[in-house]
Amino acid sequence: MRQINLGLAALNLPKETRELIDTLDGEVNAARLAKGEDYSTVSSRRLASVGFVEMPMVRLVLDKVAQENSFLVCYSEEERVMVIQQTAALLPTVSRRKTFVEIASEILSRERCMAAAMKQLSPEEANTEAARKFFKLIRDSNPEMVGACLSVVQEAEKRARKVYELNKLLRDRAPFSTK
């Protein structure tokens, strides 16, 4: 087993998560270097950097009341691992101008929209082909859906009654509206 990056070892993360970040960091960096990016560019956007690991989106918020006050944070260690994995998968393919915060915000906003939309559906509605296609569009990072998810989550974040507003926006705004 390789030695974990010393900077990561000092962070307050579970050992498994630190090892995952370290492994994915190596894989992402190798892929980016193989595509011809210069080392200084690759080095400036590393998963194993403090800038990524300590950004607000990767922070865990376990308290239910606090979760209702912020959609763009992780609610569990599993969700944090998912954000790390999806960021690692996207990093070699996204524009260099896109920051870690933008990438993670898009990932978390899709999760929040899927969770809120799922709660609005009955079990019968959730099992329809239309619902499956809709959730697949969100999950597959369809650019239009990613933008729509981020837009409604950011708008709901600005309001006092965030959960209510997100549910309302999902019911009333295209492409989520069934009207």
Side-chain angles (χ1 to χ4, degrees):
M1 186 165 125
R2 7 183 266 177
Q3 186 70 21
I4 292 180
N5 177 316
L6 286 177
L8 283 177
L11 296 172
N12 185 20
L13 291 170
K15 183 177 186 244
E16 299 80 22
T17 305
R18 290 191 316 253
E19 289 173 351
L20 173 69
I21 292 169
D22 195 44
T23 301
L24 290 173
D25 183 57
E27 292 171 5
V28 168
N29 294 342
R32 291 173 62 202
L33 288 169
K35 285 175 59 177
E37 283 189 55
D38 59 288
Y39 185 77
S40 63
T41 306
V42 170
S43 188
S44 69
R45 283 183 46 168
R46 296 188 61 163
L47 286 176
S49 70
V50 173
F52 174 71
V53 177
E54 290 191 342
M55 70 180 179
M57 283 73 193
V58 178
R59 194 178 66 228
L60 277 191
V61 174
L62 302 173
D63 179 76
K64 293 290 182 198
V65 174
Q67 288 176 3
E68 290 188 1
N69 291 323
S70 183
F71 293 129
L72 297 176
V73 293
C74 295
Y75 295 165
S76 67
E77 187 61 32
E78 294 77 23
E79 195 168 68
R80 178 163 49 193
V81 166
M82 179 270 307
V83 168
I84 292 165
Q85 290 172 327
Q86 287 190 21
T87 301
L90 290 171
L91 198 55
T93 62
V94 297
S95 161
R96 286 183 214 142
R97 292 186 307 264
K98 208 173 241 192
T99 67
F100 283 137
V101 170
E102 292 170 322
I103 295 168
S105 294
E106 289 174 357
I107 293 167
L108 283 169
S109 66
R110 288 192 338 248
E111 288 299 307
R112 299 297 168 252
C113 286
M114 284 196 309
M118 192 60 108
K119 286 179 185 174
Q120 292 180 17
L121 298 175
S122 70
E124 295 79 30
E125 291 171 324
N127 285 324
T128 64
E129 186 63 28
R132 283 194 288 277
K133 284 181 181 177
F134 176 74
F135 288 117
K136 184 175 177 357
L137 278 175
I138 294 175
R139 232 178 277 109
D140 290 347
S141 300
N142 173 297
E144 180 184 324
M145 289 301 283
V146 169
C149 289
L150 189 57
S151 171
V152 297
V153 168
Q154 287 175 332
E155 189 168 329
E157 282 268 333
K158 295 175 187 172
R159 311 274 174 84
R161 296 171 42 194
K162 293 172 181 27
V163 173
Y164 170 79
E165 289 297 332
L166 180 59
N167 291 332
K168 185 173 180 279
L169 288 165
L170 287 175
R171 279 192 306 273
D172 300 340
R173 185 173 295 168
F176 308 105
S177 173
T178 55
K179 295 177 183 175

